[in-house]
Amino acid sequence: MRKIYLLPLFLMAWGLAALPALAQQSEEPKPIIATYVPRNPQEGLTPIQLERLAQLMKKAEEKDLWNNSYWHTLLRYQKGWFGGVKSQADSPVFFFSPQGKTNPKAELEANVAAFFMDKPGWNRMAVTPQCAFPARYRWLKEQLEFNPIWIPEQTCPEFEYWRKQIDIQSVTFIYSSFYINSPVSAFGHTFVRLDNKKHTDDQRLMDRAINFAAAIPEEDTHGVMWVFYGLFGGYPGVFSQSPYYMKVLEYSDSEKRDLWEYRLNFTQEENDRVVAHLWEMQWVYFDYYFFDENCSYHMLPVLEAARPGLNMRDHYLLFTLPTDTVRDVATEPGLVSKVTYRPSRLSQMKKRVDMVPPALRSLADDLAENPALYETPEVKGLDDPSRIAMLDAAVERIRIHLDVGEQTPNTEQTALRQKLSQLLLFRSQIPVASPPMDFTPWPPKVEEGHKPSRLALSGGGWEVPGVPGIPTRFTRVSLMPVFQEMLSDDRGYAENSQVIMFHLQGRYDEETKQGYFEKFDVLDVISLVPLSSVQKTMSWQFSGGWHDYVETPCPNCLQAYLKAGFGYALQSHAWERETFALMGGATLNAGPMFDQGRRADAWVEGSFYLNLAPWWRMGFVGSRIARGNNTPDPMVNEGSFRQRLTLSQNWELRTDVTLRTGRQEASAGLGWWF
Amino acid sequence: MKKLIGLVIALGLFAPMAMADNGGAACGIGATLLRGKSGVGPHLSATFTDSFVEYGNLLSLTTGNFKPGFLGCDPKNSVIQRDMERRDFAKANQENLSRDMAAGQGEYLSTFSGMMGCSPEAQAQFARVMQAKYSKISANADMVEAVKLEMAADPRLASACSLS
């Protein structure tokens, strides 16, 4: 019976349930990569070469080369929790020494030995060691001053060909903002672009993008296994390349996420190191972990490989949030030379609509519905700039609804495409170029927002409604490692959304002189998407965890809960920004205070969020709850009124009045983001 | 919606991709782009990603040697390669490119003019011609071919751009 309290860990339970499928998989013949044991390259050397190797290793020892941080970057060594180092790379052919994963010295020696070899085939590689690992080769050659007679430099046609294709001019670090409707990408995404010398700055679409992502077997992409493996490292993470325009299509057009491009201030030599290092990444895979060793984490050593001494990875302990890595890149002195904003398809549409003279906006809307209106005298009589603005806006209004990349459109999509072609034909008949979209000022960048974790301290009083007496004074501490709360300043974050994970809160009561564990929210996500003529998306919320807000006296009792709801939101801009939402849903509760240990509730909830100024936000939430389990007097009302005042980028002041069945309280306090 | 979820999930998909032999037709960046890939559907990443790690080599190889995962290309066929890159670009970005052509400006249009061998100075003329001839170009199933015809018909573009 007690197992029911573990309700919020349902994700893991799912994963475990899927284990039999895993066992089944392992019966298939294993690829040799999984079982391959590299041979020590010393075995392939002549006695003279071994003698020379020993001399080189003496020099390496003098320089303590295997403890050099650059060597550790190239091989992805990371300090272990209990001393020693371990490489994060999980592919055996990434190492030359059988002990390479944990022994930087043995690996360095094996690399030098391998660079003596002038024929491909070692470790079953189709190219020579020098050509497989050009970044390591160049660095060791420089550090140990390889004698060209001992170790002749080889030409590497494959690498050279690839390098020439890339023809690097600069490296750009790219951040794709949140996509709140998909929890996996709520944290954003990062990758790099290799800017080609042959392309001008308005031709960056043709540049090459390098991405790190988990390689997920196609049959798993919708499954439970995906969640489980993704969190706990069951999939191999690999680097891949594609034209940048494919990334723009994916993030900007299809998912409607804004992109931020941070051009890095690398010298030509540093750029070349990045290219050489990325070439080495084709021999490697990493177990992919959603929280720490994720897409963003693996982009950092790519930057470190450019500039020896640059250290980007050390301060990530448990989580690597893409937003954090962007903040670090953006604020690292001398690293970024230029920032560019690339509006998503949605942002472009909003801008084009803004560019229509206000009196003509509804007509432009109608035009998107019915392109034939363009031929009416009402539109024909307008001047060129007005008609251009209207057509451009109407075109974007349709584009926002298109399924990007869909090869076999359904009837609705076909109708949209026909309207679009019609509008584009009209547009092409006005032989004037459209005015470019001007995005000044840009929306705030990630590094202008608060940091992702919050520690808050507050004080106040609480009482049980209907019970006479003075309120109990309390002091409260709350730790929220991730990442954004509904009322917090949303500069650099998604508007009207909340993504909270692992929120821990405790309270000290003056009356009893005792500390209480108050709550632990595993997940608490709210996504409000205001309805508009272009977006008819539902709003939703989902949360789960434990708390001690019990309705009946039950000292030290914890209640487990799982809450989900759907609804719609509206937004106006009478002051700064006002958002209204109405949702309905259900909550499953479990705990000893309930008859049979559990109870299901249904509720409706109205919320109103009001920004009086960018630094001042209020939130009113009221709900009416129908309690299950034949609870006497089942209908209750609950509500809260909260405020946030921003003091500085990482400090905020909060007030909170909350009325719950069984407890009402008021408090105020300070929050610090770190 | 389901498709969108799939797309998000398909971050760097395992899928049957980038398996083309070295040399020959599969060539250059985006080589596997939309070209006769079966069973993948419209998921962008699955269809387009040209992976570094050719999974056939590194992750599922049971015999043979590990080859450099990228490089599906024969450097000698650079003219063919450039034309394929144009077609890949036009096909993947058909929607964005059409919009820019009709509007007479935009990043897709300037990128495309570069791919069609036009110098930065000829970009404005390229944009004007594309806008003026948009109805003809959009009516042609082979957009790249239609653009080439219009370029040849315009004396300034014919001299300012080099398709080879």
Side-chain angles (χ1 to χ4, degrees), chain A residues 31-33 124 126 162 179 203 208 216 221 238-239 241 246 282 342 345 348 396 399 403 406 434, chain B residues 3-4 8-9 14 29 48 50 52 55 58-59 61 64 66 69-70 95-96 99 103 107 110 131:
Chain A
I32 54 171
I33 190 78
R124 302 185 64 165
W162 188 69
Y179 178 49
Q203 297 171 336
R208 200 160 304 191
I216 303 164
T221 50
V238 292
F239 282 84
Q241 62 178 354
M246 288 316 307
Q282 68 188 318
R342 180 180 289 275
R345 189 175 275 207
Q348 291 181 42
E396 295 301 330
R399 277 160 49 83
D403 280 345
E406 176 65 72
S434 296
Chain B
K3 180 155 65 238
L4 217 55
V8 174
I9 287 171
F14 221 161
I29 184 89
F48 298 119
D50 195 359
F52 252 149
Y55 301 106
L58 196 51
L59 295 183
L61 184 76
F66 302 115
F70 177 66
E95 204 192 290
N96 288 323
R99 177 200 60 181
E107 193 183 8
S110 37
Q131 191 182 38

Side-chain angles (χ1 to χ4, degrees), chain B residues 35-161:
Chain B
R35 209 175 287 140
K37 282 275 161 275
S38 59
V40 185
H43 301 325
L44 294 173
S45 352
T47 323
F48 298 119
T49 305
D50 195 359
S51 177
F52 252 149
V53 178
E54 219 175 84
Y55 301 106
N57 285 335
L58 196 51
L59 295 183
S60 60
L61 184 76
T62 46
T63 56
N65 279 337
F66 302 115
K67 284 181 276 182
F70 177 66
L71 295 175
C73 205
D74 179 356
K76 278 169 261 169
N77 291 335
S78 60
V79 176
I80 296 173
Q81 180 192 343
R82 275 204 289 279
D83 208 54
M84 282 182 169
E85 285 180 358
R86 286 175 199 131
R87 285 168 196 283
D88 289 345
F89 180 84
K91 188 151 193 177
N93 299 300
Q94 198 260 347
E95 204 192 290
N96 288 323
L97 187 55
S98 303
R99 177 200 60 181
D100 283 3
M101 282 181 173
Q105 65 94 36
E107 193 183 8
Y108 288 85
L109 198 55
S110 37
T111 304
F112 195 55
S113 81
M115 298 181 84
M116 298 303 280
C118 301
S119 61
E121 298 76 50
Q123 259 182 35
Q125 175 67 7
F126 184 82
R128 269 192 295 275
V129 173
M130 292 303 112
Q131 191 182 38
K133 304 292 180 188
Y134 179 75
S135 62
K136 272 173 81 180
I137 293 168
S138 63
N140 194 327
D142 188 343
M143 187 193 247
V144 175
E145 212 46 52
V147 169
K148 282 183 190 170
L149 288 176
E150 297 307 331
M151 286 171 68
D154 183 87
R156 280 181 62 190
L157 288 185
S159 66
C161 308

Side-chain angles (χ1 to χ4, degrees), chain A residues 31-178:
Chain A
I32 54 171
I33 190 78
T35 54
Y36 189 78
V37 179
R39 277 168 63 207
N40 225 327
Q42 283 92 324
E43 292 169 26
L45 300 192
T46 63
I48 299 167
Q49 286 175 325
L50 284 172
E51 167 62 22
R52 289 167 174 173
L53 172 65
Q55 284 191 38
L56 286 168
M57 283 309 287
K58 237 178 99 188
K59 198 184 269 176
E61 184 157 16
E62 281 160 22
K63 298 183 87 167
D64 198 21
L65 211 53
W66 48 81
N67 288 322
N68 189 302
S69 68
Y70 194 67
W71 181 245
H72 288 222
T73 291
L74 289 182
L75 273 294
R76 296 293 202 274
Y77 288 122
Q78 193 75 331
K79 282 194 187 70
W81 290 96
F82 308 104
V85 298
K86 193 176 178 187
S87 171
Q88 290 156 336
D90 295 301
S91 145
V93 294
F94 189 63
F95 306 101
F96 281 106
S97 163
Q99 292 89 41
K101 192 168 163 77
T102 52
N103 189 337
K105 183 187 174 186
E107 181 58 25
L108 191 136
E109 183 166 9
N111 272 265
V112 178
F115 293 147
F116 278 93
M117 299 175 176
D118 54 4
K119 287 193 182 59
W122 196 265
N123 269 358
R124 302 185 64 165
M125 280 191 171
V127 293
T128 63
Q130 280 187 24
C131 296
F133 296 99
R136 296 182 198 175
Y137 168 72
R138 286 176 190 184
W139 187 72
L140 287 173
K141 177 186 147 193
E142 190 188 302
Q143 295 293 319
L144 298 175
E145 296 159 37
F146 285 172
N147 181 337
I149 298 168
W150 293 7
I151 304 179
E153 184 150 317
Q154 296 149 13
T155 52
C156 304
E158 296 91 350
F159 173 59
E160 283 307 318
Y161 174 63
W162 188 69
R163 212 169 66 92
K164 235 172 65 197
Q165 273 193 332
I166 303 248
D167 202 3
I168 192 158
Q169 174 190 304
S170 51
V171 178
T172 299
F173 186 81
I174 303 211
Y175 167 68
S176 157
S177 64
F178 326 87

